[in-house]
């Protein structure tokens, strides 16, 4: 007898999606995308690192709570309540779990290996494969709670 099909809320992938070598390539590719949840063409986008879907990014949060709604809904359908999103407006990574958001380091670094959250310095950013591998390992092990202590677990971007 065949096993029953798995519920739809099972994570789609046991690895993270490949990312382009530069943040500029990722940013420009995301400009053509609409939110997979609400269909909007947001000013800021968040890309799911598990499935590649685009959802409303954090700039929308200043206007409404749409980002949280879209991110949480996507987390339910893609990752059984958990999603790892890369914000194209800041290059940061956000873990969405059970309605909470945790800011994580970006895998994109400048020529000196430093992050540029918020893209303040305007330096070219390249994918740090070692950092992305570490993020992938945390994703596979779901070991994010071990890295967040106290109030950091509820930190919003």
């Amino acid at each position: 007898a065949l096993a029953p099909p798995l519920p739809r809320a099972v994570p789609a992938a046991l690895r993270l999606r490949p990312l382009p070598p530069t943040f500029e390539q990722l940013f420009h590719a995301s400009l053509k995308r609409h939110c997979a949840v609400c269909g909007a063409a947001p000013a800021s986008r968040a890309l799911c690192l598990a499935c590649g879907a685009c959802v409303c990014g954090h700039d929308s949060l200043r206007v409404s709570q749409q980002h949280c709604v879209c991110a949480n809904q996507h987390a339910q359908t893609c990752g059984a309540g958990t999603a790892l999103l890369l914000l194209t407006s800041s290059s940061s990574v956000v873990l969405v779990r059970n309605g909470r958001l945790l800011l994580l380091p970006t895998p994109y670094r400048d020529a000196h290996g430093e992050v540029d959250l918020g893209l303040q310095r305007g330096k070219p950013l390249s994918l740090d494969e070692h950092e992305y591998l570490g993020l992938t390992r945390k994703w596979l092990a779901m070991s994010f709670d071990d890295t967040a202590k106290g109030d950091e677990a509820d930190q919003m971007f």
Side-chain angles (χ1 to χ4, degrees):
L2 293 174
L6 293 173
R8 196 163 194 259
V10 172
L14 294 177
R15 62 173 171 68
L16 297 179
R17 307 276 298 186
L19 291 176
T22 68
F23 184 75
E24 183 178 10
Q25 290 171 315
L26 178 95
F27 179 82
H28 288 295
S30 75
L31 291 177
K32 303 170 189 159
R33 314 262 321 260
H34 292 265
C35 178
V37 175
C38 71
S44 173
R45 291 157 175 83
L47 301 176
C48 178
L49 295 178
C51 74
C54 173
V55 297
C56 292
H58 85 286
D59 285 349
S60 304
L61 186 62
R62 293 185 186 131
V63 177
S64 70
Q65 292 295 334
Q66 185 65 37
H67 167 74
C68 291
V69 171
C70 293
N72 285 325
Q73 187 171 342
H74 180 73
Q76 291 301 317
T77 58
C78 175
T82 302
L84 199 57
L85 305 171
L86 190 140
L87 303 175
T88 62
S89 61
S90 67
S91 83
S92 59
V93 175
V94 175
L95 175 72
V96 178
R97 182 189 284 171
N98 299 326
R100 294 184 347 197
L101 304 172
L102 175 66
L103 186 64
L104 299 169
T106 178
Y108 285 97
R109 306 296 165 99
D110 68 13
H112 301 287
E114 298 174 351
V115 299
D116 186 9
L117 288 182
L119 308 173
Q120 301 282 329
R121 296 182 308 216
K123 302 285 183 187
L125 301 176
S126 299
L127 182 63
D128 181 324
E129 294 286 346
H130 181 72
E131 186 69 31
Y132 198 51
L133 180 61
L135 190 60
T136 301
R137 286 184 178 139
K138 286 182 180 183
W139 173 251
L140 290 173
M142 282 298 156
S143 63
F144 297 104
D145 287 341
D146 294 338
T147 63
K149 306 292 183 201
D151 291 337
E152 291 177 35
D154 294 317
Q155 181 178 0
M156 293 192 58
F157 41 90

